[in-house]
């Protein structure tokens, strides 16, 4: 199972959230049949959703992250709940693009170097809270670091990594967020950044070391303390009941044309590929049930 560790350095100047998400990203790869670059892209976004999802408290709270760049990937979505469940969707999982000159997967070109990142927090109130921020590189970690710095005014170090094996399965995946606590001086944050930028590739560390060992490297100059540890998983909350409710909500005219056009109306969940099938008689019942309510 994937893991999330949260804590602080002992002087309480920085907090960290560290997620190991290999199993989550592998599940997304299998569900969406992603190309290698698409695996890295949706894997990074799902990992960010796991990290940000730790702020959710209420049973039904949810967080939705969306990337809409000008690259071939189209739209990417990741949704997290307060139980450390995530699910994701991408418009063009099949598209592959050439790697960069340094042989790294070119997630930036796949997403596109321009576009919009959006963060929607739904706390069950009338209106969900929405924030938008520009995509600055399409590499995802940089885009969210920019979002934290500008929209939330929190100096943030963020690294997201997915390592794809030669058989296309996910060898390692994870993310580490380190944020300065209020009152921390810019120089102190720069010191930390300088130290962490000199570390070898994050995805390679994930493949070779335990989470605790990786943290010891990132916090080489200070002690850290783990305060919470949780499991995380890919989980879709779709159900026949929800699909039925959604179908009924499209109106009798739409239901009528679905009924006329299809022997069986099939609805496929875009997050987990579960198929829900309805006969002409089922649709007839939905229309009658709607009729009695109106
Ligand atoms: Zn589903």
């Amino acid at each position: 199972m994937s893991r999330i560790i949260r804590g602080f350095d002992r002087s309480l100047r920085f907090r960290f959230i560290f997620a190991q998400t290999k199993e989550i990203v592998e599940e997304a790869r299998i569900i969406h049949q992603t190309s290698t670059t698409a695996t890295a892209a949706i894997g990074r976004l799902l990992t960010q959703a796991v990290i940000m999802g730790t702020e959710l408290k209420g049973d039904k709270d949810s967080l939705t992250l969306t990337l809409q760049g000008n690259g071939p990937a189209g739209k990417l979505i990741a949704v997290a709940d307060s139980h450390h469940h995530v699910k994701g969707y991408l418009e063009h999982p099949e598209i592959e693009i050439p790697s960069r000159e340094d042989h790294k997967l070119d997630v930036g070109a796949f997403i596109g170097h321009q576009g919009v990142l959006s963060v929607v927090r739904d706390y069950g109130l009338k209106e969900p809270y929405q924030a938008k921020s520009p995509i600055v590189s399409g590499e995802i970690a940089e885009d969210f670091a920019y979002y934290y710095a500008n929209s939330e005014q929190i100096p943030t170090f963020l690294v997201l990594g997915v390592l794809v094996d030669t058989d296309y399965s996910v060898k390692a995946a994870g993310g580490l967020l380190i944020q300065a606590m209020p009152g921390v001086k810019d120089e102190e944050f720069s010191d930390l950044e300088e130290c962490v930028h000199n570390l070898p590739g994050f995805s390679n560390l994930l493949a070779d070391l335990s989470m605790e060992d990786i943290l010891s490297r990132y916090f080489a100059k200070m002690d850290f303390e783990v305060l919470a540890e949780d499991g995380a998983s890919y989980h879709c909350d779709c159900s026949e009941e929800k699909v039925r409710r959604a179908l009924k909500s499209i109106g009798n005219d739409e239901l009528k044309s679905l009924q006329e056009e299809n022997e069986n109306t099939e609805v496929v969940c875009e997050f987990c590929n579960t198929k829900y099938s309805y006969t002409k008689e089922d649709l007839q019942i939905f229309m009658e049930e709607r009729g009695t309510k109106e």
Side-chain angles (χ1 to χ4, degrees):
M1 197 187 210
S2 293
R3 274 170 82 201
I4 317 168
I5 301 179
R6 281 173 282 169
F8 290 92
D9 80 287
R10 279 196 208 275
S11 63
L12 299 179
R13 284 175 301 163
F14 304 103
R15 69 160 188 150
F16 70 84
I17 305 173
F18 185 12
Q20 183 288 110
T21 55
K22 175 185 167 180
E23 297 77 10
I24 289 172
V25 181
E26 176 64 6
E27 179 126 16
R29 180 185 78 88
I30 292 166
I31 290 171
H32 297 293
Q33 298 286 300
T34 42
S35 73
T36 301
T37 310
T39 303
I42 194 66
R44 289 183 196 177
L45 190 64
L46 283 165
T47 303
Q48 177 60 16
V50 169
I51 289 172
M52 277 182 113
T54 57
E55 71 192 41
L56 301 171
K57 300 283 182 291
D59 194 39
K60 293 195 169 147
D61 290 0
S62 74
L63 168 87
T64 303
L65 305 179
T66 308
L67 290 176
Q68 177 74 68
N70 60 348
K75 186 187 273 189
L76 280 82
I77 303 173
V79 183
D81 69 16
S82 58
H83 308 284
H84 311 297
H85 294 143
V86 282
K87 59 181 181 179
Y89 162 79
L90 67 169
E91 213 170 345
H92 292 294
E94 74 290 352
I95 291 179
E96 186 57 287
I97 59 164
S99 293
R100 304 192 322 198
E101 274 177 11
D102 60 4
H103 305 296
K104 288 189 173 164
L105 297 170
D106 202 345
V107 173
F110 182 64
I111 300 291
H113 303 304
Q114 290 175 329
V116 179
L117 169 166
S118 94
V119 177
V120 177
R121 296 176 172 93
D122 190 343
Y123 300 132
L125 305 169
K126 223 176 201 171
E127 289 287 324
Y129 170 78
Q130 182 170 13
K132 282 189 175 164
S133 173
I135 288 175
V136 291
S137 73
E139 292 287 336
I140 306 179
E142 276 173 41
D143 303 311
F144 278 95
Y146 184 87
Y147 160 79
Y148 283 121
N150 290 278
S151 298
E152 304 200 345
Q153 267 97 52
I154 307 170
T156 301
F157 168 81
L158 175 65
V159 58
L160 301 167
V162 174
L163 194 63
V164 180
D165 216 335
T166 46
D167 66 357
Y168 308 112
S169 68
V170 177
K171 191 172 181 186
L176 174 62
L177 170 117
I178 303 175
Q179 286 186 321
M181 298 302 286
V184 168
K185 294 191 187 75
D186 288 349
E187 305 90 80
E188 291 179 288
F189 188 71
S190 311
D191 283 352
L192 176 86
E193 265 193 317
E194 199 178 311
C195 163
V196 297
H197 276 306
N198 292 327
L199 288 170
F202 179 66
S203 349
N204 289 314
L205 289 179
L206 279 171
D208 296 339
L209 299 176
S210 71
M211 292 178 83
E212 288 74 9
D213 286 343
I214 295 172
L215 280 173
S216 309
R217 298 242 183 147
Y218 276 85
F219 288 103
K221 288 186 187 164
M222 54 188 118
D223 290 330
F224 65 90
E225 189 163 11
V226 173
L227 291 183
E229 190 174 337
D230 297 286
S233 57
Y234 193 105
H235 173 79
C236 184
D237 55 352
C238 69
S239 65
E240 199 280 319
E241 194 191 330
K242 284 185 185 173
V243 175
R244 197 183 334 155
R245 222 184 301 144
L247 264 179
K248 281 190 191 178
S249 73
I250 65 175
N252 276 5
D253 290 348
E254 286 287 323
L255 284 169
K256 186 91 201 152
S257 54
L258 282 174
Q259 193 188 34
E260 279 161 9
E261 286 160 21
N262 308 294
E263 198 51 48
N264 280 297
T265 296
E266 205 167 71
V267 179
V268 182
C269 173
E270 60 186 18
F271 291 102
C272 69
N273 280 347
T274 301
K275 292 182 177 67
Y276 298 92
S277 183
Y278 297 93
T279 62
K280 286 175 186 289
E281 290 72 33
D282 291 332
L283 297 184
Q284 192 61 40
I285 293 167
F286 296 167
M287 284 186 275
E288 281 161 20
E289 284 176 358
R290 279 183 57 88
T292 55
K293 263 191 261 165
E294 278 167 4

